[in-house]
Amino acid sequence: MTEASSSAPTFSKPLQLPLAQEEIDRINAHLQNLTPEGILNWAVEHVPGLYQTTAFGLTGLVAIDMLSKITPSPPPLIFIDTLYHFPETLELVDEVRQKYSVPIHVYKPGGCETVQQFEAKYGEALWEKDETLYDYVVKVEPARRAYDELSVAAVITGRRASQGADRASLQPLEVDSTGLIKLNPLFEWTFPFVEWYVKENNVPRNKLLDQGYRSVGDWHSTAKSGEGDAGERAGRWAGKTEKTECGLHVDYFAMKAAAQEKLEEAQISEQARVAVAVIEAK
């Protein structure tokens, strides 16, 4: 890929939102010819309300490092603390904060600061009972709350086309159903490129990657990669071959509607249980 020439198209600074599909196509035609650093530099100059969402995977860490060299004021980070992260992941959050001095906004499930509070509200092992509801309350809702409270218009992601599944046809810039801009600066990089950059630039990384893990998420849904496991995300959602996303990159409105329906059903069931208990106590 080559950087933009003097004949590169011009865009308003900042971009005027919302973006029409014609403008999205024009932007992508331009960004596809840039390096990841070029895409990030373009975004810093043009995209309003820009943040980076990250779970501190390798690709996100590469973007953090690149941004630290592009601008003295990189976009703040948003980290969704599901309350079920590995200790090594939380250690990495602190290491990144110290190394890059970038603001990190941490969001947790609504009304919950601890696992105990979460399980008192939703029960134990919610991910086993209702995985979609779990994804919504620990990831999707906190993320939307972050976007609303921080006035986020666009987020930098660590998604890449080589990760496959729904990401195979990834573009450098996308707009989701809520109007949120998602910038994917390393969309064209393969995993070996990412590993090379991390090593060459001494980028902090999760210690679990040296212990047989390829991709790290919540402790209960992350396993070490077995011999012969294919794919860089091997070990995530083990035994659930149909699951490829945690909910942050699927249709928000569909997930919200499904989650609210289930939460209402659970509330009705609890009210019925209390009513029966009251009657039986008389």
Side-chain angles (χ1 to χ4, degrees), residues 200-216:
E200 288 295 309
N201 292 274
N202 196 29
V203 177
R205 62 200 298 270
N206 198 311
K207 294 175 183 177
L208 293 173
L209 298 177
D210 297 322
Q211 300 176 26
Y213 293 87
R214 286 192 192 173
S215 179
V216 180

Side-chain angles (χ1 to χ4, degrees), residues 92-223:
L92 178 60
V93 175
D94 289 335
E95 187 176 355
V96 168
R97 183 185 284 112
Q98 293 174 17
K99 180 178 175 66
Y100 297 106
S101 300
V102 60
I104 303 177
H105 299 277
V106 179
Y107 278 77
K108 298 180 180 182
C112 303
E113 286 295 320
T114 65
V115 168
Q116 291 74 18
Q117 290 176 341
F118 181 83
E119 293 183 351
K121 188 174 183 178
Y122 296 103
E124 296 182 1
L126 178 61
W127 59 88
E128 292 180 354
K129 301 169 187 172
D130 194 322
E131 193 171 35
T132 299
L133 180 59
Y134 175 80
D135 283 347
Y136 180 80
V137 296
V138 304
K139 300 172 186 176
V140 178
E141 188 281 327
R144 295 308 312 182
R145 185 161 20 98
Y147 301 158
D148 290 341
E149 292 181 0
L150 300 172
S151 298
V152 177
V155 294
I156 297 165
T157 85
R159 296 182 299 161
R160 292 180 288 103
S162 67
Q163 291 170 324
D166 293 341
R167 305 183 180 192
S169 58
L170 204 61
Q171 295 294 306
L173 183 144
E174 299 175 322
V175 179
D176 72 10
S177 60
T178 70
L180 180 73
I181 293 173
K182 293 183 177 180
L183 194 80
N184 312 305
L186 282 88
F187 77 105
E188 206 170 35
W189 270 25
T190 60
F191 191 56
F193 272 27
V194 173
E195 287 188 306
W196 165 82
Y197 185 98
V198 168
K199 183 178 180 180
E200 288 295 309
N201 292 274
N202 196 29
V203 177
R205 62 200 298 270
N206 198 311
K207 294 175 183 177
L208 293 173
L209 298 177
D210 297 322
Q211 300 176 26
Y213 293 87
R214 286 192 192 173
S215 179
V216 180
D218 289 343
W219 62 258
H220 54 71
S221 60
T222 303

Side-chain angles (χ1 to χ4, degrees), residues 14-19 47-48 153-154 179 181:
L15 293 175
Q16 299 303 302
L17 306 181
L19 296 174
V47 182
I181 293 173

